[in-house]
Amino acid sequence: MEDLGEFRRRIKTQLNKIDPKTLNYNEDEFWLVRVPYEFLEYYAETNRLYNTMLALPLARGLHNGTYRKLPVVRNGEVYKQPYLIHCLTVSKMLSDMWFPFSDEEKDILIAAALCHDMIEDIPFADGGRELYTAFGLDKKVYDIVKLVSKKKDPTEEEEEEYFSGIRNNRLALLVKLSDRGHNVSDLYNMKEWKIEEYIGETRKRYLPMCEYAREEYPELNDVIEILQDQIVVQTKTVQMLMDRHKKTMSNLNDELTTLREENAKLRETFSALKEAQ
């Protein structure tokens, strides 16, 4: 294994080649993501994961100033949740699992998970190729991020092509399933129609993709089963809450209708009494 001091020097040398503005971040918010960030940093350094060590400060800098919809409450105070927490959570999910991969593949996988939303969310001048041309990441990281980046308002044909590309790349598939696994646990701030659309897509695309993966990549069966179970449980939980909400709203609407009808009858009775006088 590479000497730790030399590994750190290599990382520092590459980071020094990147425009400092790219790596800037709000230090006052860092405490909100410190624990998973430092865990992954330690994990990457211990295992000499070069791409992961580069991707961490890149994700922190490039996603700086963007936030998840769901806020976080600490000691009674409400804070906006940095978007980076999503990238870290998806990456940590993967780092916690055992894969029959080489250290290089594991490094590419976790680095891609950290960068997975960059092409969709950041207006790169060169379509995200900067990940390897300017930032020094392995081109395989870019290839995976490109695969999991979805076009806005795709046609049915484009959507099928998108999911086909992911299915045929086991690292992209793992990143996308982990991404969905975290996102389905965080739907509560979406509008009702958006939640239903998200659940529908999950059942139409992601659960069949899990079954495909278990057949096509049997060496990943245990990992896929964990990710599939997480997606299923979270989806069912959200659906149950949605159904309960709909039932509550329906009951309230029924009560409101009843009250309106009773109010109309009272008004009629009052009018009749007034005329009789």
Side-chain angles (χ1 to χ4, degrees):
M1 182 178 286
E2 182 180 7
D3 175 73
L4 180 58
E6 179 56 33
F7 179 73
R8 286 173 173 169
R9 282 190 288 275
R10 280 208 300 141
I11 297 297
K12 186 175 181 180
T13 298
Q14 180 55 43
L15 290 175
N16 285 338
K17 295 177 182 178
I18 300 171
D19 184 344
K21 293 179 182 178
T22 300
L23 303 176
N24 283 346
Y25 67 98
N26 186 343
E27 295 183 27
D28 292 337
E29 292 180 341
F30 186 64
W31 65 274
L32 288 159
V33 300
R34 182 182 299 278
V35 171
Y37 187 97
E38 292 185 349
F39 170 87
L40 285 167
E41 190 174 45
Y42 174 78
Y43 177 84
E45 192 171 79
T46 301
N47 293 283
R48 310 297 193 268
L49 304 182
Y50 179 81
N51 288 280
T52 303
M53 280 295 288
L54 281 182
L56 276 164
L58 282 169
R60 181 176 62 185
L62 289 169
H63 286 298
N64 185 52
T66 58
Y67 302 90
R68 297 287 280 179
K69 291 182 179 180
L70 195 66
V72 61
V73 180
R74 300 283 176 87
N75 299 322
E77 295 289 330
V78 179
Y79 300 91
K80 291 189 293 184
Q81 190 169 203
Y83 192 84
L84 178 63
I85 194 66
H86 170 62
C87 309
L88 294 171
T89 302
V90 172
S91 302
K92 189 176 183 302
M93 284 169 61
L94 293 170
S95 72
D96 286 343
M97 297 179 186
W98 181 86
F99 297 100
F101 293 165
S102 65
D103 288 341
E104 179 188 356
E105 281 185 298
K106 208 176 300 179
D107 185 24
I108 297 296
L109 173 67
I110 298 172
L114 283 165
C115 301
H116 76 272
D117 276 330
M118 288 184 181
I119 291 177
E120 282 188 15
D121 296 347
I122 296 164
F124 288 115
D126 195 24
R129 293 177 186 82
E130 290 90 339
L131 291 178
Y132 65 93
T133 61
F135 304 150
L137 292 168
D138 193 301
K139 185 176 179 295
K140 292 174 186 174
V141 174
Y142 162 79
D143 291 338
I144 292 170
V145 176
K146 183 68 174 175
L147 277 174
V148 301
S149 299
K150 197 173 185 180
K151 292 181 180 179
K152 289 185 178 179
D153 302 317
T155 63
E156 186 70 24
E157 184 180 347
E158 287 173 333
E159 189 171 85
E160 183 53 48
E161 184 180 343
Y162 168 73
F163 282 103
S164 177
I166 293 172
R167 286 194 299 268
N168 292 327
N169 183 306
R170 63 179 186 169
L171 298 187
L173 186 146
L174 289 168
V175 169
K176 197 61 184 174
L177 290 180
S178 299
D179 173 47
R180 181 57 52 135
H182 183 233
N183 277 334
V184 293
S185 69
D186 197 20
L187 295 179
Y188 306 103
N189 248 20
M190 288 185 181
K191 292 182 179 179
E192 187 174 305
W193 68 267
K194 186 65 177 176
I195 296 175
E196 291 180 341
E197 183 181 271
Y198 209 83
I199 290 174
E201 183 187 52
T202 299
R203 289 172 171 162
K204 177 183 177 182
R205 295 292 188 182
Y206 288 86
L207 296 183
M209 188 158 63
C210 289
E211 296 302 327
Y212 171 89
R214 293 173 72 170
E215 292 180 10
E216 192 69 20
Y217 309 111
E219 73 279 11
L220 298 178
N221 186 69
D222 290 345
V223 172
I224 298 300
E225 186 174 355
I226 291 170
L227 293 173
Q228 182 176 12
D229 286 348
Q230 180 172 357
I231 292 171
V232 168
V233 169
Q234 294 290 352
T235 302
K236 284 184 176 179
T237 300
V238 174
Q239 184 68 67
M240 180 186 70
L241 292 172
M242 283 282 293
D243 291 344
R244 185 183 299 172
H245 173 71
K246 286 180 179 179
K247 186 174 181 179
T248 300
M249 292 303 296
S250 177
N251 290 339
L252 287 173
N253 283 330
D254 289 345
E255 289 178 17
L256 183 60
T257 299
T258 300
L259 288 171
R260 283 173 175 165
E261 290 173 351
E262 290 177 353
N263 185 53
K265 289 178 182 178
L266 286 172
R267 285 176 177 274
E268 289 176 6
T269 302
F270 179 76
S271 296
L273 289 172
K274 196 171 181 180
E275 288 177 5
Q277 291 176 351

